[in-house]
Amino acid sequence: MIRSFAYAAFFMISGFIFPTTVSAHCDTYSGPVVTDAKRALEKGDVTPALKWVKKDDEEKIRIAFKKTIAVRNSGPEAKELGENYFFETLVRIHRAGEGAPYTGLKDEPAEPIIELSDKALQTGNIDTLANKIAAHVKEGIKQRFTKAFSDKKNADKSVDAGREYVEAYVKYVHYLEGIHSAVMSKGEHHNEK
């Protein structure tokens, strides 16, 4: 139940709470894919990076890893170039495996919901994340309900007032439908089934 709530929470926050589009955290230098790629390079063992790709793509990652290891000691520029090649290859193949486009690595911070999600996984405590989401959802429902309820009182006074009510009603109902859809979803990422 908590796992389902966490998945639904992610989609609710990303789709309804934050005004900007949530970027794919996995395509950032600070994201978990590149973090594990860095760990793999530090250890000299590709294993930490392999979990991010499908089994059929493992060999591509192993080859990219070997190439990167081979050039790392050829100077700082070669090291940087090789590491970026490995990061980009890993993220590109990971994104393809989830049915998402690869648009390059980004050097930007994670969205607040991602930071909260990651922190919950690090601490093993979902309460802060769940409470924050619940508060945002409650406030979102309350705002839309209040507007629709207020406009409904005047809906029959004029066509313009009626249209204002219909607009508020549609926003209210679509918001609730979106929340319901997120809560009832299986929480798949992109094209996963």
Side-chain angles (χ1 to χ4, degrees), residues 12 24 28 40-41 68 91 105 108-109 112 116 131 142 145 154 162 166 179 188:
M12 282 189 291
T28 65
L41 290 170
T68 300
V91 172
L105 281 172
E108 55 192 39
L116 284 173
N131 291 338
K142 191 180 208 180
F145 168 80
N154 298 316
V166 168
I179 292 169
E188 281 100 10

PDB file of all heavy atoms in Angstrom, residues 12 24 28 40-41 68 91 105 108-109 112 116 131 142 145 154 162 166 179 188:
ATOM      1  N   MET A  12       1.267  12.469  -8.846  1.00  0.00           N
ATOM      2  CA  MET A  12       0.391  13.571  -8.461  1.00  0.00           C
ATOM      3  C   MET A  12       1.188  14.855  -8.309  1.00  0.00           C
ATOM      4  O   MET A  12       0.799  15.895  -8.825  1.00  0.00           O
ATOM      5  CB  MET A  12      -0.335  13.260  -7.156  1.00  0.00           C
ATOM      6  CG  MET A  12      -1.493  12.330  -7.330  1.00  0.00           C
ATOM      7  SD  MET A  12      -2.466  12.191  -5.840  1.00  0.00           S
ATOM      8  CE  MET A  12      -1.357  11.333  -4.770  1.00  0.00           C
ATOM      9  N   ALA A  24      13.388  14.326 -16.303  1.00  0.00           N
ATOM     10  CA  ALA A  24      13.797  12.963 -16.000  1.00  0.00           C
ATOM     11  C   ALA A  24      15.060  13.038 -15.154  1.00  0.00           C
ATOM     12  O   ALA A  24      16.116  13.385 -15.647  1.00  0.00           O
ATOM     13  CB  ALA A  24      14.036  12.200 -17.289  1.00  0.00           C
ATOM     14  N   THR A  28      20.365  13.527 -15.461  1.00  0.00           N
ATOM     15  CA  THR A  28      21.156  14.606 -14.905  1.00  0.00           C
ATOM     16  C   THR A  28      22.453  14.048 -14.319  1.00  0.00           C
ATOM     17  O   THR A  28      22.525  12.879 -13.944  1.00  0.00           O
ATOM     18  CB  THR A  28      20.399  15.355 -13.790  1.00  0.00           C
ATOM     19  OG1 THR A  28      20.184  14.471 -12.693  1.00  0.00           O
ATOM     20  CG2 THR A  28      19.069  15.899 -14.288  1.00  0.00           C
ATOM     21  N   ALA A  40      30.843   2.932 -10.358  1.00  0.00           N
ATOM     22  CA  ALA A  40      31.406   1.836 -11.152  1.00  0.00           C
ATOM     23  C   ALA A  40      32.824   2.183 -11.611  1.00  0.00           C
ATOM     24  O   ALA A  40      33.739   1.354 -11.501  1.00  0.00           O
ATOM     25  CB  ALA A  40      30.515   1.545 -12.359  1.00  0.00           C
ATOM     26  N   LEU A  41      33.016   3.406 -12.074  1.00  0.00           N
ATOM     27  CA  LEU A  41      34.339   3.824 -12.533  1.00  0.00           C
ATOM     28  C   LEU A  41      35.338   3.879 -11.369  1.00  0.00           C
ATOM     29  O   LEU A  41      36.491   3.479 -11.521  1.00  0.00           O
ATOM     30  CB  LEU A  41      34.259   5.172 -13.248  1.00  0.00           C
ATOM     31  CG  LEU A  41      33.558   5.152 -14.611  1.00  0.00           C
ATOM     32  CD1 LEU A  41      33.318   6.567 -15.117  1.00  0.00           C
ATOM     33  CD2 LEU A  41      34.363   4.338 -15.621  1.00  0.00           C
ATOM     34  N   THR A  68      36.106   3.320 -21.643  1.00  0.00           N
ATOM     35  CA  THR A  68      36.321   4.429 -20.712  1.00  0.00           C
ATOM     36  C   THR A  68      37.493   4.134 -19.788  1.00  0.00           C
ATOM     37  O   THR A  68      38.358   4.997 -19.579  1.00  0.00           O
ATOM     38  CB  THR A  68      35.034   4.702 -19.902  1.00  0.00           C
ATOM     39  OG1 THR A  68      33.996   5.043 -20.817  1.00  0.00           O
ATOM     40  CG2 THR A  68      35.224   5.822 -18.899  1.00  0.00           C
ATOM     41  N   VAL A  91      23.092   6.503 -19.811  1.00  0.00           N
ATOM     42  CA  VAL A  91      21.805   7.206 -19.692  1.00  0.00           C
ATOM     43  C   VAL A  91      20.984   7.041 -20.964  1.00  0.00           C
ATOM     44  O   VAL A  91      19.780   6.788 -20.904  1.00  0.00           O
ATOM     45  CB  VAL A  91      22.014   8.695 -19.343  1.00  0.00           C
ATOM     46  CG1 VAL A  91      20.697   9.464 -19.421  1.00  0.00           C
ATOM     47  CG2 VAL A  91      22.623   8.832 -17.954  1.00  0.00           C
ATOM     48  N   LEU A 105      22.679  14.859 -21.341  1.00  0.00           N
ATOM     49  CA  LEU A 105      22.812  14.972 -19.890  1.00  0.00           C
ATOM     50  C   LEU A 105      22.664  16.426 -19.475  1.00  0.00           C
ATOM     51  O   LEU A 105      23.145  17.326 -20.159  1.00  0.00           O
ATOM     52  CB  LEU A 105      24.167  14.436 -19.432  1.00  0.00           C
ATOM     53  CG  LEU A 105      24.274  12.936 -19.350  1.00  0.00           C
ATOM     54  CD1 LEU A 105      25.712  12.502 -19.080  1.00  0.00           C
ATOM     55  CD2 LEU A 105      23.369  12.396 -18.261  1.00  0.00           C
ATOM     56  N   GLU A 108      21.617  20.047 -13.728  1.00  0.00           N
ATOM     57  CA  GLU A 108      20.615  20.832 -13.011  1.00  0.00           C
ATOM     58  C   GLU A 108      20.164  20.056 -11.787  1.00  0.00           C
ATOM     59  O   GLU A 108      20.255  18.828 -11.748  1.00  0.00           O
ATOM     60  CB  GLU A 108      19.431  21.145 -13.919  1.00  0.00           C
ATOM     61  CG  GLU A 108      18.804  19.918 -14.536  1.00  0.00           C
ATOM     62  CD  GLU A 108      17.828  20.243 -15.657  1.00  0.00           C
ATOM     63  OE1 GLU A 108      18.098  21.162 -16.450  1.00  0.00           O
ATOM     64  OE2 GLU A 108      16.803  19.556 -15.734  1.00  0.00           O
ATOM     65  N   PRO A 109      19.685  20.766 -10.797  1.00  0.00           N
ATOM     66  CA  PRO A 109      19.228  20.067  -9.586  1.00  0.00           C
ATOM     67  C   PRO A 109      17.930  19.306  -9.842  1.00  0.00           C
ATOM     68  O   PRO A 109      17.183  19.618 -10.772  1.00  0.00           O
ATOM     69  CB  PRO A 109      19.001  21.207  -8.583  1.00  0.00           C
ATOM     70  CG  PRO A 109      18.739  22.414  -9.430  1.00  0.00           C
ATOM     71  CD  PRO A 109      19.527  22.215 -10.698  1.00  0.00           C
ATOM     72  N   PRO A 112      12.016  19.240  -6.482  1.00  0.00           N
ATOM     73  CA  PRO A 112      11.796  18.974  -5.058  1.00  0.00           C
ATOM     74  C   PRO A 112      11.152  17.614  -4.767  1.00  0.00           C
ATOM     75  O   PRO A 112      11.532  16.944  -3.808  1.00  0.00           O
ATOM     76  CB  PRO A 112      10.886  20.128  -4.610  1.00  0.00           C
ATOM     77  CG  PRO A 112      11.200  21.231  -5.562  1.00  0.00           C
ATOM     78  CD  PRO A 112      11.504  20.561  -6.878  1.00  0.00           C
ATOM     79  N   LEU A 116      12.685  14.682  -2.360  1.00  0.00           N
ATOM     80  CA  LEU A 116      11.933  14.071  -1.258  1.00  0.00           C
ATOM     81  C   LEU A 116      11.800  12.565  -1.445  1.00  0.00           C
ATOM     82  O   LEU A 116      11.905  11.800  -0.482  1.00  0.00           O
ATOM     83  CB  LEU A 116      10.546  14.710  -1.142  1.00  0.00           C
ATOM     84  CG  LEU A 116      10.479  16.091  -0.518  1.00  0.00           C
ATOM     85  CD1 LEU A 116       9.061  16.662  -0.633  1.00  0.00           C
ATOM     86  CD2 LEU A 116      10.905  16.060   0.935  1.00  0.00           C
ATOM     87  N   ASN A 131       3.163  13.124   3.862  1.00  0.00           N
ATOM     88  CA  ASN A 131       2.465  14.263   4.491  1.00  0.00           C
ATOM     89  C   ASN A 131       2.502  15.500   3.606  1.00  0.00           C
ATOM     90  O   ASN A 131       1.517  16.225   3.493  1.00  0.00           O
ATOM     91  CB  ASN A 131       3.058  14.565   5.861  1.00  0.00           C
ATOM     92  CG  ASN A 131       2.748  13.485   6.874  1.00  0.00           C
ATOM     93  OD1 ASN A 131       1.806  12.722   6.722  1.00  0.00           O
ATOM     94  ND2 ASN A 131       3.566  13.395   7.901  1.00  0.00           N
ATOM     95  N   LYS A 142      -9.141  21.682  -2.288  1.00  0.00           N
ATOM     96  CA  LYS A 142      -9.881  22.720  -1.560  1.00  0.00           C
ATOM     97  C   LYS A 142     -10.025  23.990  -2.404  1.00  0.00           C
ATOM     98  O   LYS A 142     -11.124  24.565  -2.487  1.00  0.00           O
ATOM     99  CB  LYS A 142      -9.131  23.031  -0.260  1.00  0.00           C
ATOM    100  CG  LYS A 142      -9.872  23.875   0.715  1.00  0.00           C
ATOM    101  CD  LYS A 142      -8.970  24.082   1.936  1.00  0.00           C
ATOM    102  CE  LYS A 142      -9.753  24.298   3.182  1.00  0.00           C
ATOM    103  NZ  LYS A 142      -8.874  24.503   4.339  1.00  0.00           N
ATOM    104  N   PHE A 145     -12.433  23.255  -5.334  1.00  0.00           N
ATOM    105  CA  PHE A 145     -13.785  23.065  -4.810  1.00  0.00           C
ATOM    106  C   PHE A 145     -14.393  24.409  -4.415  1.00  0.00           C
ATOM    107  O   PHE A 145     -15.543  24.717  -4.766  1.00  0.00           O
ATOM    108  CB  PHE A 145     -13.779  22.124  -3.603  1.00  0.00           C
ATOM    109  CG  PHE A 145     -15.088  22.119  -2.862  1.00  0.00           C
ATOM    110  CD1 PHE A 145     -16.158  21.373  -3.330  1.00  0.00           C
ATOM    111  CD2 PHE A 145     -15.262  22.892  -1.727  1.00  0.00           C
ATOM    112  CE1 PHE A 145     -17.379  21.383  -2.669  1.00  0.00           C
ATOM    113  CE2 PHE A 145     -16.471  22.906  -1.055  1.00  0.00           C
ATOM    114  CZ  PHE A 145     -17.528  22.152  -1.527  1.00  0.00           C
ATOM    115  N   ASN A 154     -24.010  31.358  -8.485  1.00  0.00           N
ATOM    116  CA  ASN A 154     -24.436  32.386  -9.448  1.00  0.00           C
ATOM    117  C   ASN A 154     -24.575  31.840 -10.867  1.00  0.00           C
ATOM    118  O   ASN A 154     -24.800  32.604 -11.806  1.00  0.00           O
ATOM    119  CB  ASN A 154     -23.415  33.536  -9.464  1.00  0.00           C
ATOM    120  CG  ASN A 154     -23.330  34.216  -8.122  1.00  0.00           C
ATOM    121  OD1 ASN A 154     -24.343  34.492  -7.490  1.00  0.00           O
ATOM    122  ND2 ASN A 154     -22.113  34.484  -7.677  1.00  0.00           N
ATOM    123  N   GLY A 162     -22.674  31.505 -15.759  1.00  0.00           N
ATOM    124  CA  GLY A 162     -22.765  30.065 -15.973  1.00  0.00           C
ATOM    125  C   GLY A 162     -21.477  29.506 -16.561  1.00  0.00           C
ATOM    126  O   GLY A 162     -21.001  28.444 -16.160  1.00  0.00           O
ATOM    127  N   VAL A 166     -18.915  26.721 -15.131  1.00  0.00           N
ATOM    128  CA  VAL A 166     -18.518  25.533 -15.895  1.00  0.00           C
ATOM    129  C   VAL A 166     -16.993  25.427 -15.948  1.00  0.00           C
ATOM    130  O   VAL A 166     -16.427  24.344 -15.768  1.00  0.00           O
ATOM    131  CB  VAL A 166     -19.134  25.553 -17.318  1.00  0.00           C
ATOM    132  CG1 VAL A 166     -18.493  24.487 -18.195  1.00  0.00           C
ATOM    133  CG2 VAL A 166     -20.640  25.361 -17.239  1.00  0.00           C
ATOM    134  N   ILE A 179      -5.937  12.993 -10.074  1.00  0.00           N
ATOM    135  CA  ILE A 179      -5.482  12.396  -8.813  1.00  0.00           C
ATOM    136  C   ILE A 179      -5.936  10.948  -8.745  1.00  0.00           C
ATOM    137  O   ILE A 179      -5.152  10.053  -8.423  1.00  0.00           O
ATOM    138  CB  ILE A 179      -6.004  13.196  -7.604  1.00  0.00           C
ATOM    139  CG1 ILE A 179      -5.331  14.566  -7.554  1.00  0.00           C
ATOM    140  CG2 ILE A 179      -5.768  12.429  -6.307  1.00  0.00           C
ATOM    141  CD1 ILE A 179      -5.957  15.515  -6.571  1.00  0.00           C
ATOM    142  N   GLU A 188       3.818   2.866 -13.444  1.00  0.00           N
ATOM    143  CA  GLU A 188       4.851   2.570 -14.437  1.00  0.00           C
ATOM    144  C   GLU A 188       5.507   3.856 -14.902  1.00  0.00           C
ATOM    145  O   GLU A 188       4.906   4.905 -14.926  1.00  0.00           O
ATOM    146  CB  GLU A 188       4.267   1.826 -15.648  1.00  0.00           C
ATOM    147  CG  GLU A 188       4.044   0.366 -15.388  1.00  0.00           C
ATOM    148  CD  GLU A 188       2.609   0.048 -15.074  1.00  0.00           C
ATOM    149  OE1 GLU A 188       1.746   0.921 -15.236  1.00  0.00           O
ATOM    150  OE2 GLU A 188       2.341  -1.081 -14.652  1.00  0.00           O
TER     151      GLU A 188
END
